[in-house]
Amino acid sequence: MKKLFLVSFLFLFLVVISCDNTTLEKLDHDPVPDENEVVDDVEFPDEEEYEETPDEEEDEIVEFDPDDPGYTVEFVFLDMFMMGEPMNMIVGYVMKTAREDLKEDEKTVSQPLNTCVMGESAPRVPECYSHEDCAPEQECHPRTDRDGNPIPDSERCITPDRESLDVGPIIISGFADGPQTFLYEPGDQVYKLNGQGDGSVDPSLMTYSTDYGLYAENPTPPDLDSFSGEFYLGSKLELTSHQVVQGDMFPGIQLNVHEPMTFTWTPSGMDGVVEINISAAQNLNNVVNVSCLVEDNGEFTIPHEFASQLIFGSGPMVSMANMLTISRDSSSYISGETISSGKIGLDQILLVNIIPVF
């Protein structure tokens, strides 16, 4: 994922969750791929291939029944530390299940664990080329970037004209002040805390290394039964190797470009991985990215082969593109008698400017 794309990640949520009835992207707009990026990697000793594994409770494939599709419920927790400030957002939606909801997201990770690559773009293969390639109720449409522009070779089959539904209050427990009520907000057509605002949640409400629960006891309409889900939010993602200081233009971390680039952070306390990305802009036309997929054990050093290719420029716009991003994600399931597809996504993102020290 591009660093500049991550800078606008919070704002992207509001665009995506507006529930455009022609596409309903399900919170998954993609960044614009850079066709000029060159991917290069290096082997490490005892490297381990990282593979996504399905939840044991969800290994049974559910067939789509157009006469009785059931319901889809999805909530996204975004826990972000950006430009020295914590930001939290929680949004969700409920809608009649579509065929594409039951298709497992194909998250192919070919990069070995504890390795880095230059650049982040991977070749895309479209799922479809025309409406005729899709099921009768679906159409073939490309994904779009944050500006609404089609992404080449990203076409997939989706069901148009879907509606996000108000099914009554949804309760989430685990917060510092106890259970909180999430209500449907008709403007953006999504669930928000108390049905108000832009989806933001006061960071003081968040608790970490804590079990959360989500449930709706008496949802409407009548054919929607009660549903619930549980998930664990691990330790807060914090950078422990560098202190955020005020730079000439932005707060950031000082990074000596002539020394090994070692970063430490708070591990989640669970098995998993983090992505470490550095974006270095020599100028607005020359931005280099290094992306590393590593164990979430709290420490990693970017090898010299990659760190030496990072050239940091200066100036207001260029400095804004010099960025460190550390991210990790996980998910858990929402279940119920009439829930065909239910998921809680947890995304923790630490994003901070880099102030190069020469």
Side-chain angles (χ1 to χ4, degrees):
M1 184 176 291
K2 302 291 183 194
K3 310 309 173 302
L4 293 179
F5 173 67
L6 282 171
V7 173
S8 58
F9 196 84
L10 277 175
F11 310 105
L12 171 61
F13 261 86
L14 294 182
V15 174
V16 178
I17 64 178
S18 63
C19 293
D20 182 337
N21 289 336
T22 62
T23 58
L24 280 171
E25 295 293 332
K26 287 186 62 184
L27 312 182
D28 66 352
H29 283 231
D30 285 353
V32 179
D34 185 350
E35 297 179 353
N36 295 321
E37 285 183 332
V38 178
V39 178
D40 189 17
D41 62 325
V42 64
E43 293 186 0
F44 286 71
D46 301 323
E47 63 190 23
E48 177 183 350
E49 193 79 18
Y50 171 60
E51 296 181 357
E52 291 285 324
T53 55
D55 192 291
E56 294 180 357
E57 298 178 358
E58 294 291 324
D59 55 6
E60 182 179 350
I61 298 176
V62 179
E63 295 292 337
F64 178 69
D65 182 355
D67 296 323
D68 184 22
Y71 287 86
T72 291
V73 182
E74 184 165 343
F75 269 76
V76 175
F77 276 59
L78 177 64
D79 182 42
M80 175 178 279
F81 185 83
M82 184 171 73
M83 307 300 185
E85 296 293 334
M87 300 180 184
N88 294 89
M89 178 174 283
I90 302 173
V91 293
Y93 66 84
V94 182
M95 62 180 64
K96 278 285 190 178
T97 297
R99 190 182 302 270
E100 59 266 24
D101 296 343
L102 304 182
K103 183 178 182 293
E104 191 70 24
D105 291 337
E106 296 180 358
K107 186 175 183 181
T108 302
V109 182
S110 58
Q111 179 180 343
L113 191 60
N114 297 324
T115 65
C116 300
V117 296
M118 297 300 302
E120 302 163 283
S121 297
R124 291 182 178 273
V125 178
E127 178 185 311
C128 57
Y129 294 92
S130 67
H131 298 337
E132 287 71 24
D133 296 332
C134 304
E137 78 280 6
Q138 293 180 316
E139 296 179 358
C140 184
H141 292 283
R143 299 179 188 273
T144 56
D145 61 26
R146 63 181 180 272
D147 297 318
N149 301 313
I151 298 174
D153 299 322
S154 68
E155 288 79 6
R156 76 274 190 251
C157 296
I158 60 173
T159 303
D161 303 321
R162 299 177 68 190
E163 294 183 356
S164 176
L165 304 174
D166 182 356
V167 301
I170 297 175
I171 309 300
I172 301 180
S173 62
F175 296 102
D177 290 350
Q180 302 293 315
T181 301
F182 286 75
L183 300 173
Y184 182 82
E185 195 276 298
D188 290 325
Q189 298 181 328
V190 294
Y191 273 81
K192 302 175 182 178
L193 179 61
N194 299 319
Q196 300 174 351
D198 60 2
S200 298
V201 174
D202 191 324
S204 65
L205 280 178
M206 303 301 297
T207 58
Y208 296 89
S209 301
T210 301
D211 289 311
Y212 282 75
L214 179 151
Y215 59 93
E217 291 186 346
N218 297 296
T220 57
D223 63 340
L224 175 60
D225 293 330
S226 301
F227 56 84
S228 62
E230 295 181 351
F231 57 99
Y232 180 78
L233 179 58
S235 301
K236 184 174 179 61
L237 180 58
E238 296 179 304
L239 184 67
T240 56
S241 55
H242 299 75
Q243 184 177 0
V244 176
V245 298
Q246 182 60 49
D248 294 336
M249 288 161 285
F250 310 104
I253 60 169
Q254 292 181 320
L255 188 64
N256 191 324
V257 298
H258 302 297
E259 295 180 353
M261 295 183 179
T262 298
F263 300 98
T264 62
W265 65 91
T266 52
S268 66
M270 303 179 289
D271 292 335
V273 300
V274 299
E275 292 184 38
I276 301 176
N277 300 292
I278 291 184
S279 174
Q282 185 176 8
N283 51 61
L284 292 179
N285 297 318
N286 188 0
V287 181
V288 176
N289 295 287
V290 171
S291 180
C292 306
L293 184 70
V294 306
E295 294 178 80
D296 190 7
N297 59 12
E299 182 174 354
F300 185 76
T301 299
I302 297 179
H304 177 73
E305 293 93 326
F306 299 97
S308 62
Q309 299 184 55
L310 297 172
I311 302 176
F312 297 90
S314 59
M317 296 303 296
V318 172
S319 296
M320 188 175 181
N322 294 330
M323 192 74 62
L324 166 70
T325 304
I326 302 177
S327 60
R328 62 185 174 216
D329 61 77
S330 61
S331 63
S332 184
Y333 291 96
I334 298 172
S335 59
E337 288 294 327
T338 52
I339 300 301
S340 302
S341 175
K343 187 175 74 172
I344 304 165
L346 304 167
D347 293 283
Q348 291 183 297
I349 302 172
L350 187 155
L351 189 150
V352 61
N353 277 104
I354 292 174
I355 304 171
V357 178
F358 300 99

